[in-house]
Amino acid sequence: MSPPMAPAGWSRWLVPPAALSVHLSIGQAYAWSVFKPPLESALGLSGTQSALPFQLGIVMLGLSAAFGGTLVERKGPRWAMTVALVCFSSGFLLAALGAAVEQYWLIVFGYGFVGGIGLGIGYISPVSTLIKWFPDRPGMATGIAIMGFGGGALIASPWSAQMLESFGADSSGIALAFLVHGLTYAVFMLLGVLLVRVPRLVKTDGDGPAVLDGPQVSARSAVRTPQFWCLWIVLCMNVTAGIGILEKAAPMITDFFADTSTPVSVSAAAGFVALLSAANMAGRIGWSSTSDLIGRKNIYRVYLGVGALMYALIALAGDSSKPLFILCALVILSFYGGGFATVPAYLKDLFGTYQVGAIHGRLLTAWSTAGVLGPLIVNWIADRQEEAGKDGSSLYTLSLFIMIGLLAVGFVANELVRPVHPRHHEPVARPQEKEASDVR
């Protein structure tokens, strides 16, 4: 499947909607917490066990992005989006079968392993293409697409809750909800497959090689630089600190205020998940666009430093103020989303555009690590605290302070980022092409 070339007169503003159709679909992963309580009740699972499909999905996201990044760049965005469609939808269908026959391992394999491959390939599928279409505003361009991943739960959370209410929260109802998800997302992602285009290209110097602007570093060389690993730590810490809370968002807010005069209902908890998704989505476009103005390093100082302050406020306030809890959580999730959307532009600034998609894929192994650490920390500690007889906000206090420490580690790593040493730059100019004049 060859990359589809944009015809004369093609508008670059048609490419972000193509990316959004894929990212809004795979962003359903952030609504997994809606399925946790029904699965725990129907199949007799613990909170840690019910997090396994989500955790494995994030692990496979990072691994498939890392190992498939170079292939995605070579095959093009249409091939990548097609693979994402097949894997992500098939994962839901396998999970539906697992729920129907009450075999939880099949849910983990389908949603986590197969669907996780679709998450990774789908996530990186538009990044390099968008940077090529929008070299003048890389933060904004990647933010537009990647905000879809953060906003997917804004649609999926209330939609999933409504289906579980209509179909039932038993194993057969969960199976039917998974089935509807798989079929619907297949159709929606197909729109992106059909719409995506790559820029029309012309030689810059006739038949001779073109000179790339700024430093250009290959993916193989990038992973040998301290800058790559500093960014790896930054992304891992920021994601760990956010994803553990996000994965358990619905039961967490319910537990936090269970012993107060205003407990949180199931429907209100689902609404909270949707609000977090909206903040995640807004942060991806808002903060990444801001990074084009103030710089990548400065915006990560905000993500990590102010994020740690928000966690401290939640931990110290406990269950005394629901509005404060919600406000801090929304700010944290906006930083969490902004971190994802800004990192491709950060990579472009450091390593150039030569193999930025492949470098981005390798960096997403940090997300795989965080996808295990975040939910494991929050769920394991909450389970142990409950066994010790604690309840309410005290189930999560220790987890919140751990997240503050992780953000502090990420802040230090961000301060250590410096320009890449010239010895890692590509030694010769590589043939490069530029966008035709009719691209607008």
Side-chain angles (χ1 to χ4, degrees), residues 17 31 67 73 242 283 398:
F67 289 105
E73 288 225 329
L398 178 58

Side-chain angles (χ1 to χ4, degrees), residues 31-53:
W32 177 254
S33 64
V34 175
F35 286 103
K36 281 172 62 68
L39 282 169
E40 291 168 14
S41 177
L43 302 180
L45 306 173
S46 68
T48 302
Q49 290 173 322
S50 66
L52 281 176

